[in-house]
Every structure is written in structure tokens, then in C-alpha cells.
Amino acid sequence: MSKLPAPGVQLMLQLMLTREAVVRVQERLFENHGLTIQQYNVLRIVRGGPVKGHPIYEIERRMIYRFANVTRLVDRLEVQGLLKRVADPKDRRVSRVVLTPKGRRLMERLDEPVQAMATRLTSCCSEDECLAMGHSLERLREHCVQQEVCQDVPAGVAS
């Protein structure tokens, strides 16, 4: 009989499996609206940003899936008429990305299905459990980010 992995290893595995399960459901929802998860993420970031828009580098910084090529995603969304690049009046080298009226309407149409999906996926937990799990995951994520930063510090350098 094999020994169970350490609790931390079990947790990491459960996180990876859960992420994949959630992504599969999200993919179906967004594909039904002609989007990928990464495109939806860009639209979500731009929608929640300043009225004057976000520069590309700020969208990249806020992306959930960091491997995405944000410039290409913005290009595709611009071709679809969902986003528009506008010149930054303070720095002409920078363009800012804003939602078009068509993009805003799409995001408004997605509000209810996204909320319904989240409700359906978390219906096995009480509201208190959802909040507690969210706080625990946030604490774990912040710790992971800190560990990543610590690995980047050369040996012998005090923190």
C-alpha cells in the first residue's frame, strides 16, 4: 500500500485539478459568445479600468494567464470591434485600450451568465465557506508570490 503524499502536495494537486475543472466550464461559456478565456480576461480588465483606458503593459500585468500574448489578443479583439486603441495625450508613444460600445454590450450580456456559472460551480459550498476558501486561497497565493520573489534574490543577500 502506498503512502499518501504530504498534505501540501495533496493541496497543490487539488488546486491544479480544480483549476482545470473550472477552466473547462469557462471555456464552454465564453466559446458560446465567440471568445476565449484570455480574450474575456482582457475585456474584463479593460472594463474595470480607468475611462481613459489601460496601456498594454498594464493589461499584461493584470492578466490571470500570464503566458498570453496581450498585444495579439488586443489585435483580435480590435478586429472584432470590441476594443479600440486610443493615443495617450501625455505620451504619444503609448496607446491605451478602451472598450467600444459593442464590447461594453457584450460584457453586459455576459454578466448574468458569468454570475450564474459562478453560483452553479460554488453551489456545493455555503456563502461562509466560499468566503473562507477565498481568504485562504488569497493568503496562499500571496505566500507563493513571496516565495517566488525570495528565489529571485541571490544567495547571501539579506532581505
Side-chain angles (χ1 to χ4, degrees):
M1 187 155 121
S2 63
K3 182 180 170 189
L4 283 177
V9 174
Q10 291 180 48
L11 176 59
M12 292 301 116
L13 178 59
Q14 289 303 321
L15 287 170
M16 290 186 290
L17 291 169
T18 302
R19 178 193 177 276
E20 285 305 307
V22 170
V23 164
R24 283 193 300 273
V25 174
Q26 289 177 323
E27 283 173 340
R28 283 195 304 277
L29 171 65
F30 298 132
E31 284 170 4
N32 289 337
H33 290 85
L35 297 174
T36 65
I37 290 175
Q38 292 88 352
Q39 289 172 327
Y40 174 78
N41 194 23
V42 169
L43 291 170
R44 181 189 60 77
I45 291 166
V46 172
R47 180 191 200 189
V51 174
K52 64 183 180 178
H54 276 308
I56 295 277
Y57 66 83
E58 183 62 23
I59 297 170
E60 285 175 346
R61 191 182 74 73
R62 293 171 180 262
M63 287 291 288
I64 294 171
Y65 306 105
R66 303 243 182 220
F67 59 83
N69 183 324
V70 174
T71 301
R72 279 198 199 130
L73 290 169
V74 169
D75 289 344
R76 286 188 201 123
L77 292 165
E78 197 169 25
V79 167
Q80 293 176 43
L82 301 172
L83 292 179
K84 178 173 79 173
R85 286 183 172 95
V86 294
D88 186 328
K90 293 181 182 174
D91 186 349
R92 292 183 351 180
R93 297 168 298 174
V94 175
S95 63
R96 293 181 167 274
V97 181
V98 297
L99 276 178
T100 63
K102 180 180 177 181
R104 187 161 307 286
R105 285 190 304 272
L106 175 61
M107 291 303 285
E108 287 168 358
R109 278 195 318 272
L110 280 166
D111 284 343
E112 193 279 324
V114 167
Q115 179 61 49
M117 174 191 59
T119 300
R120 204 172 53 253
L121 291 178
T122 60
S123 64
C124 62
C125 302
S126 70
E127 188 174 307
D128 286 343
E129 288 174 314
C130 287
L131 292 171
M133 206 176 313
H135 291 301
S136 294
L137 290 170
E138 183 177 10
R139 191 175 81 227
L140 178 60
R141 183 180 59 253
E142 288 171 357
H143 180 73
C144 289
V145 168
Q146 184 59 41
Q147 294 306 303
E148 185 180 26
V149 168
C150 289
Q151 285 183 347
D152 292 340
V153 176
V157 175
S159 42

